[in-house]
């Protein structure tokens, strides 16, 4: 039995001396056991699930290396601050008050966590139900929406994201630089993102090289519209 378990079980049994639980060794062992607030979510499908549109090696590096680095660096950036115990959403809503490392890595963690979810094997097709109605209402047609969303990604200079955003049920398309997103208090177009497309070169370069527009075209084959619809419903 290690010291912590001994103390816990002794406390439960009511046999530990009153001073015992205040020993500094106990405090140190609790600090050591404390876990990092943010963790890498498991990919909801195999690395090769999005082939041939998004290749296996890109998925392995993108999720296992890039996203992991955002998580690790976010944990480092908030360590020892009041933000350590806050939710990621709360952090993003207050990002103007925080260091660039939190903005870059907090955004990176949020954006990628969402990105994996809004894609799936055998995805694509068209949305249905309330989401389809809202897209037709706010963009005139599904094709017009695809054009706007795709262009937002294609024309983003350098690295960034293309977003479909719900503003209290009204849908708009926008693009952000780097790892910014519509949840941040510093961006121009705010709201709840329900679909995001990563247009950083690390998202497509191994397969598509400089042909970003080709990657954007292929992206429509992996969109998980059920997940996007779920996010639209809960954002209202
Ligand atoms: Mn990325």
């Amino acid at each position: 039995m290690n010291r912590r378990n001994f103390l816990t079980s002794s406390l439960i049994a009511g046999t530990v001396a009153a001073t015992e639980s205040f020993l500094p060794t106990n405090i140190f062992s609790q600090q050591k056991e404390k876990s990092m607030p943010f963790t890498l979510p498991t990919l909801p499908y195999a690395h090769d699930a999005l082939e041939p549109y998004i290749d296996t090696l890109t998925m392995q590096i993108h999720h296992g290396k890039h996203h992991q680095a955002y998580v690790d660096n976010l944990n480092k950036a908030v360590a020892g601050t009041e933000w350590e115990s806050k939710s990621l959403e709360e952090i993003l809503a207050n990002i103007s008050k925080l260091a660039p490392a939190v903005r870059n890595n907090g955004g990176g963690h949020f954006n990628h966590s969402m990105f994996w979810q809004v894609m799936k094997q055998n995805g694509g097709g068209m949305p249905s139900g309330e989401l389809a109605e809202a897209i037709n209402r706010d963009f005139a047609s599904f094709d017009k929406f695809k054009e706007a969303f795709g262009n937002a990604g294609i024309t983003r200079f350098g690295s960034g994201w293309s977003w479909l955003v719900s503003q209290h049920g009204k849908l708009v398309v926008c693009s952000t630089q780097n790892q910014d997103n519509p949840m941040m208090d510093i961006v121009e177009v705010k709201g709840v993102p329900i679909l995001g497309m990563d247009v950083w070169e690390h998202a497509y370069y191994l397969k598509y090289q400089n042909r970003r527009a080709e990657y954007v075209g292929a992206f429509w084959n992996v969109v998980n519209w059920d997940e996007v619809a779920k996010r639209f419903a809960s954002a209202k």
Side-chain angles (χ1 to χ4, degrees), residues 81-166:
T81 75
E82 60 172 307
W83 300 98
E84 199 173 23
S85 57
K86 300 281 203 295
S87 71
L88 189 50
E89 288 75 10
E90 207 172 340
I91 288 173
L92 299 178
N94 290 280
I95 209 74
S96 61
K97 300 171 200 158
L98 295 162
V102 182
R103 177 175 173 176
N104 293 335
N105 295 293
H109 180 36
F110 180 92
N111 297 349
H112 288 84
S113 298
M114 176 183 176
F115 188 51
W116 313 132
Q117 296 287 335
V118 295
M119 299 189 290
K120 68 169 186 178
Q121 188 165 34
N122 302 319
M126 286 173 77
S128 59
E130 280 189 32
L131 175 60
E133 285 167 27
I135 286 174
N136 288 330
R137 181 195 65 210
D138 296 331
F139 300 98
S141 69
F142 181 60
D143 284 343
K144 290 274 184 208
F145 153 70
K146 277 173 70 176
E147 194 184 330
F149 184 93
N151 282 339
I154 292 164
T155 59
R156 162 56 52 196
F157 185 76
S159 299
W161 290 75
S162 182
W163 302 104
L164 175 60
V165 181
S166 172

Side-chain angles (χ1 to χ4, degrees), residues 62 112 161 179 198 202:
H62 200 175
H112 288 84
W161 290 75
Q179 295 297 355
D198 190 344
H202 69 222

